[in-house]
Amino acid sequence: MTAIEVDTTRLPLLLTELRLPAIGRMWPDLADRSDREGWPAARLLSALAELEIAERGRRRIERHVLEAHLPPGKTLDSFDFAVVPMISKARLMALAAGDSWLEKGASLLLFGPPGSGKTHCGAALGHALIENGYRVLFARTTDLVQKLQAARQSLQLEAALGKLDKFDLLILDDLSYVHKDQAETSVLFELISARYERRSMLITANQPFGEWNKVFPDPAMTIAAIDRLVHHSMIFEMNVESYRRRAAADRRSPATGATGNDPASNG
Ligand code: ADP
Ligand code: MG
């Protein structure tokens, strides 16, 4: 008997019910090919299963990209490591593989003046981790603090912190822009405490710790927050000239081509 005599009218329905959209789309082609080439049934079945799994993986990553809110285009590929000699590409690639530092809930702290590439570097790591199957959330710290404050006002802070647990890495961009006089920032401390030794954070800030007493409500909380963050952390000090300014200068005098390593710019 040939495939044509098989009643396949219910198949699309069954595959939808089973949530197998890739197989639903691809089975007619693959079945044709299998008939033509005389595949053993097991080969067709495993080809279909592989297809569905591959698509499921792709869709999962697509969802993770959407939920991450990472700045688009800020990837490792577009990051010029030559201008930040203190960050080796190999080191960042190793971090992008995830694994042990995310399992330990270790954190990354990126310090440097405006334009030094902190946001780009952090986002690039986020993009790469998502490609590797991890879940990441990127947020401007001020925005997240506001959301957490709103959650606390409606007695939902714990739930809100719990929701952030699903992310292997939480990127808090521009922590030093948070100002305690703007609003009550102890939610930030609670976030840091909640993730401590469990879930990783990547924090960028223009100002190293010295200025953080402007962020937290009181000195004791500042010290406690820094203490937790530093305990399992890697610190990158990106003390380089603003990339924007540098790029503008290069445009004005392209002949000098100041693109290479310039160790003199480091401090
Ligand atoms: P910061 O967050 O430290 O203020 P950004 O990451 O926003 O700096 O960088 C400012 C601009 O310069 C962005 O458009 C960014 O993509 C670009 N940039 C910064 N550093 C680099 C770099 N090393 N390679 C490529 N682009 C960079
Ligand atoms: Mg930035």
Side-chain angles (χ1 to χ4, degrees), residues 2 4 30 39 58 68 79 84 87 92 117 144 146 228 231 254:
T2 66
I4 294 148
L30 269 181
W39 290 2
R58 266 196 306 280
F79 192 72
V84 274
I87 294 184
L92 222 58
L144 190 66
Q146 258 172 33
R228 282 167 174 74
H231 188 190

Side-chain angles (χ1 to χ4, degrees), residues 74 78-80 83-84 113-121 243-244:
K74 306 295 176 194
S78 60
F79 192 72
D80 180 2
V83 301
V84 274
S116 57
K118 304 177 298 295
T119 299
H120 190 141
C121 186
Y243 192 86
R244 289 182 270 254

Side-chain angles (χ1 to χ4, degrees), residues 79-89 91 116 237-241 246 259-267:
F79 192 72
D80 180 2
F81 286 88
V83 301
V84 274
M86 59 289 282
I87 294 184
S88 84
K89 183 167 186 179
R91 178 102 193 267
S116 57
E237 300 239 27
M238 301 169 70
N239 290 321
V240 293
E241 198 196 330
R246 194 186 176 106
T259 51
N261 255 319
D262 181 10
S265 70
N266 178 12

Side-chain angles (χ1 to χ4, degrees), residues 70-212:
L70 284 161
K74 306 295 176 194
T75 60
L76 287 174
D77 283 344
S78 60
F79 192 72
D80 180 2
F81 286 88
V83 301
V84 274
M86 59 289 282
I87 294 184
S88 84
K89 183 167 186 179
R91 178 102 193 267
L92 222 58
M93 297 305 271
L95 290 171
D99 301 334
S100 68
W101 73 282
L102 293 178
E103 271 155 38
K104 277 192 301 205
S107 289
L108 267 174
L109 306 173
L110 269 51
F111 299 134
S116 57
K118 304 177 298 295
T119 299
H120 190 141
C121 186
L125 198 54
H127 282 292
L129 286 170
I130 290 175
E131 287 299 318
N132 289 329
Y134 292 97
R135 293 178 78 174
V136 174
L137 179 69
F138 178 100
R140 280 165 44 196
T141 314
T142 45
D143 293 349
L144 190 66
V145 162
Q146 258 172 33
K147 275 190 194 144
L148 292 177
Q149 281 164 348
R152 169 142 79 198
Q153 271 151 26
S154 50
L155 306 177
Q156 300 289 319
L157 182 59
E158 239 169 84
L161 293 174
K163 271 196 196 140
L164 295 173
D165 260 5
K166 70 181 178 203
F167 296 107
D168 300 286
L169 179 67
L170 179 59
I171 300 179
L172 295 183
D173 198 31
D174 282 327
L175 180 118
S176 42
Y177 287 178
V178 174
H179 249 261
K180 62 183 173 194
D181 44 87
Q182 250 169 283
E184 239 267 63
T185 51
S186 64
V187 285
L188 187 56
F189 177 75
E190 283 175 57
L191 172 65
I192 291 168
S193 303
R195 289 183 81 87
Y196 177 58
E197 292 193 320
R198 294 191 312 110
R199 297 310 238 162
S200 292
M201 285 193 278
L202 185 157
I203 291 177
T204 79
N206 293 336
Q207 315 283 356
F209 307 117
E211 297 288 312
W212 286 20

